[in-house]
Amino acid sequence: MASNKGLIKHTSLYVPLIRMIVAVGFAGVLLMGSYWVLNDMPYITVGELVLFSMLTQRVLWPLTRFGIILDDFERAGASAKRIFELLESKITIQSATPPIKIDPTTCSLTFKNIDYHYENKVPILKKLNFTLSNGETVGLAGTTGSGKSTLIKLALRLYDPISGSIHINDTPLQKLHLSDLRKQISLVSQDTYLFHGSIMDNIAYGCPTASKDALIHAAQLAELHDFVLTLPQKYATIVGERGIKLSGGQRQRLSIARAILKNAPLMIFDEATSSVDTETEESIQRNLFKVTQGKTALIIAHRLSTIRYAHRILVLDNGHVAEEGTHEHLLALNGHYARLWRIQVGKRTL
């Protein structure tokens, strides 16, 4: 950031300064030359005055261009430095050698005494313990910053916990190959990434060998199919870089279809319905509980209506599980969950 500020400062000064110097030179040549010509002095002719004036103007472009090239060079150097720092950074998350193989058709997930903090050392998770049994749908609620999204990153082993351990089917994540671990998980994240390609290619990203019928079925469950049929090119429609041609809700439904098509034993939905309207949300909710039957599912939501029918709901607060139970049980406790529920119901009744 400091390098960019210095570069912008020097570039901003260089180009106007060069233009000013050339302008002053051009004015000096024009005034002095005109004075000599008008007074019939032998120093310069009219043709020479015109030539010098044109040459002075022609100097302006290469000098200004040099400043632009210098700016581009410095920016490229700063970018290259960041790229090489990334390429030379040490990989801290490694696959086990040799890895343990696990059953690819079932999945239980256990967090044991998990502590985690980022570089600022502020604790995010503190002695966190909970288990997702095979075939169970668990909702995860909590205020912003309570550590919900951090849990997903730990489950995918994008990070390792500071202390404690995470197990899939009673096997620690560190003893698995990273590709085997991530094949076990279908993820719908808050930040949906779509590449520049067709809708069909984007849905099939996690399962490129899937049939067209399976792909369309996944799109129907994600409430995307009807929208796709309104497009001139249907599933061959290009979505643009990062899905720029689609709305936020459409991108999110496409991401849900992608996760459904992958058909992994563990499905994680991180705010999966945050960008869709209420009617579409209700349809997606009904279909989500269909596709998660027989699978382990973790549904993270600010909209508590998304998780009210989960087998179990966990409420995170200050880095640990503050409350646990069904929707009705947590309302009866009249604690964190009940307070969040009343706030959301109150908003809907305004």
Side-chain angles (χ1 to χ4, degrees):
M1 182 65 71
S3 300
N4 282 337
K5 286 183 178 179
L7 179 61
I8 293 170
K9 180 179 179 181
H10 288 109
T11 303
S12 301
L13 288 173
Y14 177 83
V15 174
L17 185 62
I18 290 298
R19 290 180 181 273
M20 188 179 297
I21 292 173
V22 174
V24 170
F26 175 73
V29 169
L30 189 62
L31 289 173
M32 186 62 71
S34 299
Y35 175 78
W36 287 342
V37 170
L38 291 174
N39 288 278
D40 294 325
M41 293 184 179
Y43 306 120
I44 192 171
T45 65
V46 175
E48 289 172 338
L49 175 60
V50 173
L51 176 62
F52 274 110
S53 300
M54 293 179 62
L55 288 176
T56 305
Q57 286 184 313
R58 297 295 292 177
V59 169
L60 176 63
W61 169 248
L63 288 176
T64 304
R65 186 61 189 169
F66 177 75
I68 297 173
I69 292 173
L70 181 63
D71 178 45
D72 291 342
F73 177 78
E74 292 295 334
R75 289 180 186 274
S79 298
K81 182 180 179 180
R82 290 195 293 269
I83 290 171
F84 283 117
E85 285 176 352
L86 178 62
L87 293 175
E88 293 170 1
S89 61
K90 294 182 180 179
I91 300 175
T92 57
I93 306 298
Q94 300 278 2
S95 296
T97 52
I100 295 176
K101 294 293 184 180
I102 57 175
D103 185 353
T105 61
T106 63
C107 187
S108 63
L109 183 65
T110 304
F111 291 80
K112 295 183 178 180
N113 295 317
I114 298 298
D115 286 320
Y116 188 77
H117 59 73
Y118 292 103
E119 293 182 357
N120 58 10
K121 305 297 183 181
V122 176
I124 303 296
L125 302 174
K126 294 177 287 188
K127 300 302 177 186
L128 179 71
N129 290 277
F130 73 88
T131 298
L132 277 73
S133 302
N134 183 57
E136 183 183 28
T137 297
V138 173
L140 193 61
T143 56
T144 301
S146 59
K148 301 186 297 297
S149 295
T150 300
L151 281 178
I152 296 175
K153 295 172 184 177
L154 292 172
L156 290 167
R157 212 179 162 219
L158 300 178
Y159 308 123
D160 280 333
I162 303 301
S163 64
S165 60
I166 305 172
H167 299 248
I168 280 189
N169 292 348
D170 297 323
T171 302
L173 300 191
Q174 286 83 355
K175 295 185 178 181
L176 303 176
H177 196 283
L178 288 175
S179 63
D180 291 339
L181 166 63
R182 291 164 187 171
K183 284 177 182 177
Q184 292 284 105
I185 302 172
S186 289
L187 172 65
V188 179
S189 65
Q190 295 182 48
D191 300 320
T192 302
Y193 181 80
L194 304 180
F195 56 85
H196 183 71
S198 68
I199 291 176
M200 179 174 291
D201 290 339
N202 273 279
I203 296 176
Y205 180 68
C207 190
T209 59
S211 65
K212 186 175 181 179
D213 289 341
L215 189 147
I216 292 174
H217 180 62
Q220 289 171 335
L221 292 176
E223 296 295 324
L224 181 70
H225 181 68
D226 291 342
F227 160 71
V228 174
L229 293 183
T230 65
L231 301 173
Q233 295 179 291
K234 306 296 189 295
Y235 282 90
T237 301
I238 301 298
V239 301
E241 191 65 34
R242 298 187 68 87
I244 193 172
K245 296 182 180 179
L246 302 179
S247 69
Q250 291 159 357
R251 289 195 296 270
Q252 203 161 37
R253 280 179 276 171
L254 196 154
S255 180
I256 293 171
R258 179 190 287 173
I260 293 171
L261 183 66
K262 186 179 178 182
N263 198 31
L266 172 59
M267 306 188 76
I268 300 177
F269 299 91
D270 186 7
E271 301 292 344
T273 59
S274 61
S275 296
V276 299
D277 58 82
T278 303
E279 184 178 353
T280 303
E281 178 193 9
E282 291 178 357
S283 299
I284 291 176
Q285 287 173 15
R286 289 194 299 269
N287 292 333
L288 282 183
F289 287 105
K290 290 179 184 177
V291 301
T292 56
Q293 286 183 1
K295 298 181 182 295
T296 308
L298 179 62
I299 304 175
I300 299 173
H302 280 300
R303 293 183 184 177
L304 300 184
S305 58
T306 305
I307 58 175
R308 65 178 299 179
Y309 297 113
H311 297 139
R312 193 158 46 101
I313 297 173
L314 307 177
V315 181
L316 283 188
D317 182 62
N318 199 26
H320 66 278
V321 178
E323 296 175 354
E324 179 178 351
T326 62
H327 172 75
E328 291 76 15
H329 173 71
L330 292 176
L331 289 181
L333 286 179
N334 199 28
H336 296 286
Y337 183 85
R339 178 176 57 82
L340 293 173
W341 179 260
R342 285 195 297 268
I343 291 172
Q344 293 192 15
V345 172
K347 286 183 177 179
R348 288 196 179 99
T349 57
L350 292 176

